[in-house]
């Protein structure tokens, strides 16, 4: 269960697409679960998996919108789910387990970016609540994992550069900052993969975190256009600048991490550009890499314990 943060030479790169990384891989008979799988990167991941023959379950807070987005995607099945509602997570997961579905891949992709302050459930901050939803869903689905094991891919981001875990106030009760809330949630996604892999590795459950790259998708809907321009995310004509990926390219690293045999012995790794990421040596998010607080085993164990306490579920420890 080595967590080696240096490139391995996958044969793919920053501009590879999700479809390209699945060339020669047959997913017929496999089942994947992709949260947020009906827009942006998630939609491209679902299309790639389905195109390779997989059955794909797409949990959706807006099932009608999901069905419309996925109407031309074969083997994509929409299941209603609000990830921020722990009771609904239990319901969804219980139905999947009861169906006898064998799950081979989970991509924890759903997320928000710098949204207005939002409280859900028992007052949880919305960004972190999605992490807690993914934690609970993966744990509740543990009985449905395929007999040989499964892969779990948590979608992180170079946004984790801005903050580690704010242990003294993870729910921002003493003052809300949307960007720091987003950053903490992306650190949480990476740490979730680290500890899940540590716990699940002996049983064939491998977990990875991925930075998709810089891509314009509906994720940025809470960021005003003038702010996006100031950040250098859009040019004067409204198009993405050099260095930004298309959604199909942004979906590639998660798709690769979910399927590549090159990662069999590298569980817990943080990946970008269809390879294992190097440690970050600058604060340039476009360059990327991974900060030490996002792959720290002690931090990962602490987050797992907190998540298990808050959600009341821990199927791996």
């Amino acid at each position: 269960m080595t967590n080696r943060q240096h490139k391995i030479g996958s044969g793919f790169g920053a501009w590879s697409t999700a479809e390209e990384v699945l060339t020669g891989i047959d997913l017929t008979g496999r089942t994947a679960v992709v949260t947020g799988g009906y827009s942006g990167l998630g939609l491209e991941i679902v299309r790639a998996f389905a195109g390779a023959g997989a059955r794909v379950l797409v949990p959706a807070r807006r099932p009608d919108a999901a069905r419309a987005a996925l109407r031309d995607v074969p083997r994509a099945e929409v299941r209603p789910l609000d990830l921020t509602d722990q009771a609904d997570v239990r319901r969804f997961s219980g139905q999947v387990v009861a169906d006898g579905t064998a799950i081979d891949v989970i991509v924890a992709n759903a997320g928000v970016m710098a949204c207005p302050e939002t409280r859900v459930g028992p007052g949880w901050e919305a960004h972190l609540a999605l992490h807690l939803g993914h934690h609970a869903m993966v744990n509740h689905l543990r009985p449905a994992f395929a007999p040989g094991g499964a892969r779990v891919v948590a979608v992180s981001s170079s946004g984790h550069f801005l903050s580690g875990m704010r242990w003294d106030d993870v729910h921002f009760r003493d003052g809300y900052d949307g960007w720091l809330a987003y950053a903490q949630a992306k650190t949480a996604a990476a740490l979730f993969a680290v500890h899940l892999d540590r716990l699940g590795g002996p049983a064939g459950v491998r977990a990875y975190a991925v930075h998709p790259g810089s891509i314009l998708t509906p994720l940025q809907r809470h960021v005003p256009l003038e702010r996006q321009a100031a950040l250098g995310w859009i040019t004067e004509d409204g198009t993405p600048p050099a260095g930004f990926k298309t959604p199909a390219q942004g979906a590639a690293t998660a798709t690769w991490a979910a399927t590549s045999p090159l990662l069999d012995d590298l569980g817990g790794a943080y990946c970008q550009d269809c390879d294992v990421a190097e440690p970050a040596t600058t604060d340039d998010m476009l360059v990327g890499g991974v900060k030490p607080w996002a792959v720290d085993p002690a931090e990962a164990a602490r987050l797992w314990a907190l998540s298990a306490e808050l959600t009341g579920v821990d199927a791996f420890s």
Side-chain angles (χ1 to χ4, degrees):
M1 294 191 293
T2 304
N3 185 10
R4 246 177 39 199
Q5 287 304 146
H6 62 77
K7 293 182 179 181
I8 59 174
S10 69
F12 300 104
W15 313 117
S16 300
T17 66
E19 182 180 0
E20 288 168 353
V21 303
L22 289 179
T23 301
I25 294 178
D26 184 3
L27 298 180
T28 302
R30 305 289 185 90
T31 298
V33 178
V34 181
T35 67
Y38 54 104
S39 70
L41 303 183
L43 178 57
E44 296 298 330
I45 294 167
V46 171
R47 284 174 174 158
F49 285 161
R55 174 192 181 200
V56 189
L57 305 185
V58 183
R61 186 173 57 84
R62 298 179 296 133
D64 289 343
R67 292 186 186 99
L70 295 164
R71 62 182 176 275
D72 297 326
V73 181
R75 293 175 295 281
E77 303 175 20
V78 175
R79 303 282 184 95
L81 172 62
D82 181 350
L83 268 171
T84 66
D85 182 335
Q86 288 286 310
D88 206 33
V89 173
R90 286 192 297 274
R91 176 202 55 78
F92 163 82
S93 304
Q95 288 180 350
V96 173
V97 172
D99 288 347
T101 300
I103 295 172
D104 300 279
V105 171
I106 297 175
V107 181
N109 166 74
V112 292
M113 174 185 280
C115 66
E117 183 173 2
T118 305
R119 301 285 163 184
V120 299
W124 294 345
E125 189 280 315
H127 292 82
L128 192 66
L130 283 170
H131 156 72
L132 294 168
H134 282 133
H135 172 95
M137 184 187 76
V138 169
N139 278 272
H140 285 306
L141 288 176
R142 176 68 181 93
F145 282 16
R151 285 198 183 186
V152 178
V153 178
V155 177
S156 182
S157 162
S158 61
H160 81 270
F161 281 29
L162 298 176
S163 180
M165 296 303 302
R166 295 163 48 93
W167 297 117
D168 59 337
D169 186 20
V170 295
H171 288 296
F172 290 83
R173 303 190 195 282
D174 293 331
Y176 178 71
D177 183 310
W179 286 108
L180 292 181
Y182 172 71
Q184 176 182 243
K186 292 308 175 183
T187 290
L191 293 174
F192 172 67
V194 170
H195 202 66
L196 174 60
D197 191 82
R198 179 183 177 187
L199 296 175
V205 177
R206 307 318 303 258
Y208 309 89
V210 299
H211 167 41
S214 298
I215 313 103
L216 292 181
T217 72
L219 179 67
Q220 288 90 14
R221 61 187 174 274
H222 296 296
V223 184
L225 289 178
E226 58 270 22
R227 176 63 172 157
Q228 293 189 39
L231 289 168
W233 292 359
I234 53 176
T235 59
E236 289 185 3
D237 62 3
T239 59
F244 272 55
K245 300 181 181 184
T246 67
Q249 291 166 339
T253 301
T255 306
W256 175 77
T259 57
S260 175
L262 296 176
L263 289 172
D264 284 348
D265 297 322
L266 291 171
Y270 179 100
C271 304
Q272 73 174 55
D273 295 340
C274 300
D275 207 332
V276 176
E278 299 280 352
T281 56
T282 75
D283 291 328
D284 188 336
M285 292 186 195
L286 198 58
V287 173
V290 60
K291 293 292 189 179
W293 55 79
V295 288
D296 184 301
E299 290 285 282
R302 186 176 181 182
L303 175 64
W304 186 277
L306 175 64
S307 302
E309 176 187 351
L310 292 174
T311 63
V313 59
D314 184 352
F316 292 88
S317 296

